[in-house]
Amino acid sequence: MSSGKGFPFIPRFGRLLGGIGLGLLAGSLAVPASAHAEGQIRIAEQFGIVYLLLNVVRDQQLIEKHGKAEGLDIKVDWQQLSGGSAVNDALLSGAIDIAGAGIGPLLTVWDRTHGRQNVKGVASLGNFPYYLVSNNPKVKTIADFTEKDRIAVPAVGVSVQSRFLQYAAAKQWGDDQYNRLDKYTLALPHPDATAALKSGGTELTGHFSNPPFQNQALENPNVHVVLDTYELLGPNSPTVLYATEKFRNDNPKTYKAFVAALAEAAAFAQNDKGAAADTYIRVTGAKISREELLKIIDNEQYQFTVTPTNTYPLADFLQRVGAIKNKPATWQDYFFEDAAIGQGS
């Protein structure tokens, strides 16, 4: 089985990817793009602590609470997908209303729907450093990856991890070489990539991860950090929520309740990291101790906030290298205007 670039896939990875692709295709075909009345919202999240605000919203039924304040009984449907491509396909097929993914997938779908569905950001899910980690002792920087290495990302070329890697490659070799490392990447959900990297013995030697998976991988002394996105870009909001203009316009009360729920969840998580950790473990069933989780999130680098931070440098880069066609003037071009999310960047 080939990756299409002349490199063999690990059979288990190939089967997993095939399953994801078939499942997404079936879901896209089965669910027509149709509007529904106020009082229903379908939300897609992925894996990791970066989705903790959604865990809090779900656990405390905050959408339902704020819906009642608007005179609505809101039905909330939660879905879990892996990778920005799957999330974007689900949003555009009408299978979900709110997409949870990286700023990279948002910019891709914003660009492609510009002047049509007009997909834009709803809010940030917080500021978190993402690590590119490796179990190959020869790989100290991104320049050390070779054709013998494979780097796991949630979605090749589209995920925010892929975009961060491209940003780093452009800094290393120039804008015309921004996709130089893409041929070494493969799509794999964070839990599977983490397990493979920790166990070793496969061609997977790198993983552009997120918390807590990157921290769990680093428990293995053979795994080390190759790239830290805070060092690459500074503190930023890597993961965001977004929706179509139609959903926002057709469901103003539901949308308002959702944003209010997010803002309440952000205040809760930022002000009580212990309670936030308890929520994450309870809702996700994650195999991580409370103590270990608090070590990760109870520091100044982790900020639970709905305000987008430092997203524009990536947007400007993607337009500059031709990855997106439309050039945003500011972050407000690809986020809906909403006082609740504050003044971003």
Side-chain angles (χ1 to χ4, degrees):
M1 187 174 189
S2 171
S3 67
K5 298 182 182 297
F7 300 116
F9 266 44
I10 303 166
R12 187 175 76 86
F13 293 173
R15 288 195 297 272
L16 189 150
L17 290 170
I20 291 174
L22 291 173
L24 175 60
L25 178 60
S28 297
L29 293 175
V31 183
S34 58
H36 53 69
E38 283 260 38
Q40 179 183 345
I41 189 168
R42 299 162 298 171
I43 304 162
E45 59 183 326
Q46 297 188 59
F47 300 94
I49 293 169
V50 294
Y51 293 95
L52 191 146
L53 294 192
L54 293 180
N55 302 151
V56 173
V57 166
R58 184 175 189 172
D59 189 56
Q60 299 184 15
Q61 297 186 320
L62 296 180
I63 300 172
E64 294 88 338
K65 168 188 167 182
H66 287 279
K68 288 189 186 329
E70 296 292 324
L72 284 179
D73 288 321
I74 299 177
K75 178 185 177 184
V76 185
D77 178 52
W78 298 93
Q79 302 179 30
Q80 190 165 54
L81 300 171
S82 179
S85 295
V87 171
N88 283 353
D89 285 350
L91 181 68
L92 296 180
S93 73
I96 60 172
D97 304 307
I98 300 290
I103 185 66
L106 164 59
L107 290 167
T108 297
V109 75
W110 167 79
D111 181 60
R112 292 178 181 174
T113 63
H114 193 66
R116 297 188 293 277
Q117 296 101 319
N118 290 324
V119 172
K120 290 187 179 183
V122 173
S124 162
L125 285 172
N127 304 333
F128 313 94
Y130 281 11
Y131 300 156
L132 169 58
V133 295
S134 176
N135 61 8
N136 183 347
K138 295 180 181 179
V139 176
K140 304 299 183 185
T141 74
I142 62 168
D144 299 322
F145 283 111
T146 72
E147 66 278 357
K148 295 180 180 179
D149 295 293
R150 294 295 174 274
I151 305 166
V153 294
V156 173
V158 177
S159 64
V160 68
Q161 285 88 349
S162 281
R163 295 309 195 186
F164 282 148
L165 188 61
Q166 292 172 349
Y167 189 95
K171 288 188 69 174
Q172 180 78 28
W173 295 292
D175 281 358
D176 61 335
Q177 297 288 310
Y178 81 96
N179 60 355
R180 178 168 172 165
L181 298 176
D182 284 8
K183 61 181 178 288
Y184 302 146
T185 62
L186 58 83
L188 200 64
H190 290 311
D192 298 276
T194 302
L197 200 70
K198 289 181 72 174
S199 63
T202 74
E203 64 179 359
L204 186 72
T205 58
H207 178 203
F208 214 140
S209 192
N210 74 4
F213 304 107
Q214 60 197 22
N215 308 82
Q216 292 171 334
L218 290 168
E219 293 170 359
N220 184 325
N222 295 324
V223 177
H224 60 279
V225 177
V226 176
L227 182 67
D228 179 337
T229 58
Y230 271 26
E231 294 179 2
L232 180 69
L233 280 165
N236 64 87
S237 302
T239 306
V240 295
L241 299 169
Y242 46 99
T244 63
E245 184 178 58
K246 180 174 177 57
F247 175 76
R248 183 175 186 260
N249 290 344
D250 289 354
N251 303 275
K253 292 182 178 180
T254 303
Y255 186 92
K256 181 180 178 182
F258 177 68
V259 175
L262 278 176
E264 183 174 340
F268 172 84
Q270 186 64 24
N271 293 329
D272 194 340
K273 298 280 182 76
D278 292 336
T279 300
Y280 177 79
I281 293 170
R282 181 169 56 250
V283 173
T284 67
K287 305 302 181 184
I288 185 173
S289 70
R290 186 178 193 269
E291 181 182 16
E292 182 184 355
L293 185 54
L294 276 174
K295 282 182 181 179
I296 298 171
I297 66 174
D298 194 15
N299 69 69
E300 60 184 13
Q301 285 193 321
Y302 287 71
Q303 298 174 337
F304 295 103
T305 174
V306 295
T307 303
T309 302
N310 200 25
T311 65
Y312 188 75
L314 189 65
D316 180 65
F317 161 74
L318 292 179
Q319 194 278 330
R320 192 173 72 240
V321 299
I324 61 175
K325 296 178 181 179
N326 295 287
K327 181 176 176 58
T330 72
W331 69 279
Q332 292 167 312
D333 284 351
Y334 50 86
F335 272 88
F336 290 118
E337 184 177 354
D338 198 319
I341 68 172
Q343 289 299 309
S345 57

